[in-house]
Amino acid sequence: MSTAHGPCTPERAGQDHGRPGSPSPAAKRFIVAIAAIAALGGALFGYDTGVVSGALPFMEQHFGLTSLSEGVITSALLIGAAFGSLIGGRMSDGLGRRNSLLWAGAVFIGGAAAVAVAPTVPIMTVARFVLGLAVGSASVITPLYLSEIAPSHIRGRLVSFNSLMIVSGQLLAYLVNAVLAHWEAWRWMLGLAALPAVALFLGVLFLPDTPRWYISRGRQDEAAAVLRRTLAADDVPDELARIAQARDLETDTRSGAWRELQLPWVRRLLLVGMGLAIVQQITGVNAVIYFAPKILATTGLGTNAAITATIAVGAVSVVATAIGMSLIDRVGRRPMLLWGLSGMTVSLALLGAAFHLPHSTAVSYLVLGLMVLYMGFMQATLNTGVWLLLAEMFPLKVRGLAMGAAVFVMWLVNFAVALVFPVLLDAVGAGVTFWLFSAMCVLSLIFCKRYAPETKGLALEDLEQELRRTAQGAAPENAPDSTPENAPQSAPGASR
């Protein structure tokens, strides 16, 4: 992994400007425990978004759903998640990252129970909206928490662990769906999400908040205590000084998070973040996650067989995300986005063509194979990279608010895709629908090539200063890599 000298002097740069000290075995265990507990929020995010794919065929029979009402029930969680991301962003800045995770865990428990017993479509819709509030909040708070508590040299892997937990939650949902489909026990499919929600709530009770949030509230002693549990002792003073310096700079520059967003360089970063959030959704991933059995059924595969076949989608997603985690800190965020979108473009184009073949078992498995190929590219690169970038690229003072705004946009686009996809599938067919997604991948590739930032190898505070200087039009000094693909000055596109 390359290192960089940001705007801080070497004396203030701490572990990123020299070789970091080795954390103690106790510190390593503490970091692993933090990641495991906090990322339960990601697992719940994955389970609650993935489980609907297996429940929908039986809900359709039970409630007499149309394509539109399928879209409404599916997307109710997503519109709730959009507002939950805004709530989570503001709450994490005001109450802290830890207390906000506790709130999300409590809502997960109540929402899962309500969805499992909902007797009518309107009540089911409202219950999924409430559950979506927790999903959206967790989608902001979990990566934010992990990015701020992780030592910088493993930040990419630790934050990407949340992405691994999301796809693991989806795989668990597919496995549960396949088992319970034999009894058409769709309510159990939905209600079992309450179990990991309880584990999240209880686990977070034992976690501290992040050093950066403590310092933002003037609680230096508590920040130092957390850093002593995650870093080598010699690195703690430098890290405290770096965080405090970034905080002081933000305080001197402008008071108030909303006013901070009016600064041109911050606003440009926010627009790039929103653009990345849109890219992640318009390229088709959640159409596959939510409607994989329905897609396979259009090729002639039976309901139970289609639900079972989606396990392959979940399994490949987990493996691909693990691969992405191992590469993200070495290859960099930006190159992975570009390579991934290229592979997604080709696989979606082939998938669209496959739907124009005569229906047969062989075609069903060809479609499944191309869906798996697409999901492999998506989860290893774009999904991992976007979540990590959104957790890294915003300045401390507005990090929760800005990430919440970007994720709000992400969930709104997710909502639109989930609402429209079943209707589009009936109107123009699966082939044309996936060709449209392929075209979106081309547009997304152009956007990412022009605007996506590279954040590899910089501490969050050094990265903030680097992006500030770049967005204000100054030439970056000592950027982390000299190649155009990895230069952070490509990120905001601000001076163009």
Side-chain angles (χ1 to χ4, degrees), residues 80-423:
F83 288 101
S85 66
L86 287 181
I87 293 169
R90 291 299 287 166
M91 186 186 303
S92 68
D93 284 340
L95 300 180
R97 293 24 170 167
R98 172 188 175 274
N99 288 337
S100 300
L101 273 176
L102 280 174
W103 178 87
V107 178
F108 267 125
I109 295 169
V115 166
V117 300
T120 64
V121 170
I123 294 176
M124 173 66 74
T125 302
V126 172
R128 280 183 57 81
F129 174 84
V130 171
L131 187 59
L133 294 175
V135 171
S137 296
S139 71
V140 174
I141 301 163
T142 301
L144 187 62
Y145 181 91
L146 292 173
S147 73
E148 290 191 352
I149 208 163
S152 59
H153 62 286
I154 61 168
R155 188 178 66 237
R157 278 171 287 167
L158 199 61
V159 177
S160 297
F161 182 66
N162 182 57
S163 297
L164 180 64
M165 291 297 284
I166 291 172
V167 294
S168 297
Q170 289 166 350
L171 175 58
L172 177 62
Y174 295 151
L175 291 169
V176 169
N177 288 348
V179 172
L180 296 181
H182 296 289
W183 295 280
E184 299 186 8
W186 59 272
R187 292 190 184 275
W188 281 97
M189 295 177 188
L190 300 171
L192 285 174
L195 297 180
V198 171
L200 173 66
F201 184 85
L202 295 177
V204 172
L205 289 173
F206 298 96
L207 296 184
D209 218 307
T210 71
R212 287 161 178 84
W213 186 80
Y214 281 136
I215 286 179
S216 75
R217 291 298 182 268
R219 296 159 66 175
Q220 261 76 359
D221 290 344
E222 290 164 282
V226 177
L227 288 173
R228 282 193 289 270
R229 300 183 70 183
T230 59
L231 298 177
D234 291 344
D235 293 329
V236 171
D238 287 338
E239 186 70 7
L240 276 172
R242 180 191 293 110
I243 297 170
Q245 181 195 31
R247 175 64 184 174
D248 291 344
L249 180 61
E250 292 301 328
T251 302
D252 292 341
T253 301
R254 194 73 64 107
S255 61
W258 283 104
R259 294 182 65 190
E260 188 79 7
L261 284 176
Q262 296 174 24
L263 292 173
W265 76 276
V266 177
R267 190 166 60 245
R268 291 185 183 105
L269 283 180
L270 179 58
L271 291 174
V272 172
M274 289 179 172
L276 290 170
I278 292 170
V279 162
Q280 193 203 45
Q281 295 302 314
I282 63 172
T283 47
V285 59
N286 286 312
V288 174
I289 290 171
Y290 304 148
F291 299 105
K294 184 178 180 71
I295 294 167
L296 290 170
T298 65
T299 67
L301 209 60
T303 297
N304 282 8
I307 291 173
T308 303
T310 57
I311 294 173
V313 174
V316 168
S317 293
V318 171
V319 172
T321 302
I323 293 171
M325 285 175 59
S326 69
L327 295 176
I328 195 79
D329 279 327
R330 288 183 286 168
V331 175
R333 288 57 160 155
R334 178 179 160 83
M336 289 186 69
L337 295 184
L338 301 182
W339 280 106
L341 283 165
S342 300
M344 290 161 60
T345 300
V346 174
S347 55
L348 284 170
L350 293 174
L351 183 58
F355 283 102
H356 290 83
L357 299 174
H359 289 180
S360 68
T361 302
V363 169
S364 295
Y365 287 104
L366 173 62
V367 167
L368 177 62
L370 290 170
M371 286 168 58
V372 164
L373 178 64
Y374 160 76
M375 290 297 288
F377 279 116
M378 170 68 193
Q379 301 290 10
T381 59
L382 189 66
N383 192 50
T384 302
V386 167
W387 280 114
L388 179 55
L389 283 169
L390 292 181
E392 292 178 326
M393 63 187 287
F394 300 118
L396 172 62
K397 193 169 185 182
V398 298
R399 190 167 293 146
L401 175 61
M403 188 175 177
V407 177
F408 175 73
V409 171
M410 180 187 292
W411 284 112
L412 284 182
V413 179
N414 191 343
F415 162 77
V417 171
L419 183 63
V420 171
F421 181 79
V423 178

Side-chain angles (χ1 to χ4, degrees), residues 275-276 278-280 282-283 337-338 341-342 344-345 348 382 435-452:
L276 290 170
I278 292 170
V279 162
Q280 193 203 45
I282 63 172
T283 47
L337 295 184
L338 301 182
L341 283 165
S342 300
M344 290 161 60
T345 300
L348 284 170
L382 189 66
W435 280 339
L436 289 173
F437 283 134
S438 183
M440 293 299 101
C441 285
V442 174
L443 295 177
S444 299
L445 181 61
I446 295 169
F447 174 85
C448 288
K449 186 172 179 60
R450 184 173 177 85
Y451 296 112

